[in-house]
Amino acid sequence: MSTARRPLISGNWKMNLTHLEAIHVIQKVSYSIDPGRYSHVDVSVHPPFTALRSVQTVLEADDISIALGAQNAHWEPSGAYTGEISPLMLAKLNVRYVIVGHSERRQLFGETDDMVARKVAAVFKAGMTPIMCVGETLEEREAGGTEPRVLGQLQAGLAGLNPEQVGSMVVAYEPIWAIGTGRTATPDDAQAVCATIRAAVSSDHGSQAGGSIRVQYGGSVKRSNIGGLMAQPDIDGALVGGASLDPVEFAEIVAFSGS
Ligand code: PGA
């Protein structure tokens, strides 16, 4: 982690927790986080859509410095798109970060690079920050295809953005084989891909964008491996799935990343 970039630890709750359970979890997260140890870290939580309003109310009523995040958004501001949620609706709930192009959306719901690019642009247009996910499958990794896959997703997702936008956004490198499997990339492997991402951003969008874009690692991040990951110079935080549902463990991940 570079000292110039504030780490961002994001809890992706996926399709878990009713709005009542979400209230309980966010309260427990805020009690568990030691404010003295996390003043150098940005934290976001990404509840399902049905819990956003409840979590927003708790965060604002108790003045908790955790940013509200969403897990997805459509690219249009409104219209005949049954079942979709627009960036405008999220911005109205004071959502700050929106995960875009998570591998589960790409693999299970057919999201293409083009859709991801449109979503990234729409999230910016609504005044929020995208967390754009990229990552390779196990087959791609074993065939030596990590770099072309990740850089292809990166270039497609960032096409059309200006350098200021690129520099202000977040890219989450999430090797698909490490998500929910208990298998984490080694810190060295994760660092190598995150450095490649940063170098590609610098060469395509300028060194200022490359120096300020935040690159998270995601995939089975836990209290036991966060330290080694955060010690890497090009890893600026983590996108945490399963472990973010445990408020005590999530608080420990946040504390460790800031120490
Ligand atoms: P995991 O999920 O931490 O449960 O592996 C990470 C993610 O999918 O964002």
Side-chain angles (χ1 to χ4, degrees):
M1 173 187 73
S2 149
T3 46
R5 297 180 294 270
R6 277 175 72 84
L8 172 64
I9 303 294
S10 303
N12 175 12
W13 293 357
K14 306 194 180 185
M15 196 176 73
N16 294 291
L17 307 179
T18 67
H19 74 287
L20 297 173
E21 292 164 338
I23 290 171
H24 182 71
V25 168
I26 192 62
Q27 283 172 333
K28 222 167 157 206
V29 168
S30 77
Y31 300 147
S32 308
I33 288 178
D34 172 356
R37 289 186 70 196
Y38 97 112
S39 57
H40 304 298
V41 186
D42 290 335
V43 182
S44 65
V45 291
H46 300 251
F49 291 130
T50 48
L52 279 175
R53 176 68 178 150
S54 305
V55 173
Q56 179 209 7
T57 306
V58 174
L59 293 176
E60 291 178 5
D62 295 349
D63 203 15
I64 299 167
S65 42
I66 293 175
L68 189 59
Q71 300 174 17
N72 184 26
H74 194 264
W75 55 82
E76 292 291 342
S78 63
Y81 300 100
T82 302
E84 293 291 325
I85 300 290
S86 91
L88 213 67
M89 297 167 181
L90 299 174
K92 277 280 174 208
L93 290 167
N94 288 344
V95 165
R96 291 256 304 281
Y97 297 97
V98 183
I99 298 171
V100 175
H102 190 280
S103 61
E104 286 151 14
R105 304 266 354 139
R106 293 178 189 260
Q107 290 202 309
L108 305 175
F109 302 101
E111 279 193 16
T112 62
D113 282 346
D114 175 57
M115 291 160 79
V116 172
R118 288 203 229 181
K119 290 179 178 205
V120 167
V123 167
F124 270 124
K125 199 165 172 207
M128 301 176 292
T129 300
I131 298 178
M132 189 183 84
C133 301
V134 297
E136 81 286 4
T137 63
L138 188 57
E139 298 72 54
E140 287 164 344
R141 167 159 287 251
E142 285 172 349
T146 299
E147 196 171 310
R149 162 57 75 197
V150 166
L151 294 186
Q153 291 175 331
L154 184 77
Q155 272 146 13
L158 305 188
L161 299 180
N162 63 46
E164 290 71 34
Q165 288 174 318
V166 174
S168 71
M169 68 181 285
V170 183
V171 168
Y173 167 55
E174 299 206 307
I176 293 168
W177 46 271
I179 295 177
T181 57
R183 282 185 68 178
T184 330
T186 65
D188 286 346
D189 284 348
Q191 159 61 23
V193 180
C194 292
T196 301
I197 289 172
R198 191 177 308 288
V201 169
S202 292
S203 102
D204 293 353
H205 303 273
S207 56
Q208 219 166 342
S212 62
I213 192 170
R214 289 189 286 184
V215 183
Q216 294 178 317
Y217 168 79
S220 297
V221 172
K222 309 185 255 303
R223 60 159 81 82
S224 56
N225 57 28
I226 185 70
L229 292 163
M230 291 305 293
Q232 303 300 319
D234 287 295
I235 299 180
D236 305 315
L239 183 52
V240 187
S244 73
L245 295 169
D246 176 341
V248 173
E249 175 149 21
F250 187 62
E252 284 179 35
I253 291 169
V254 168
F256 206 115
S257 67
S259 52

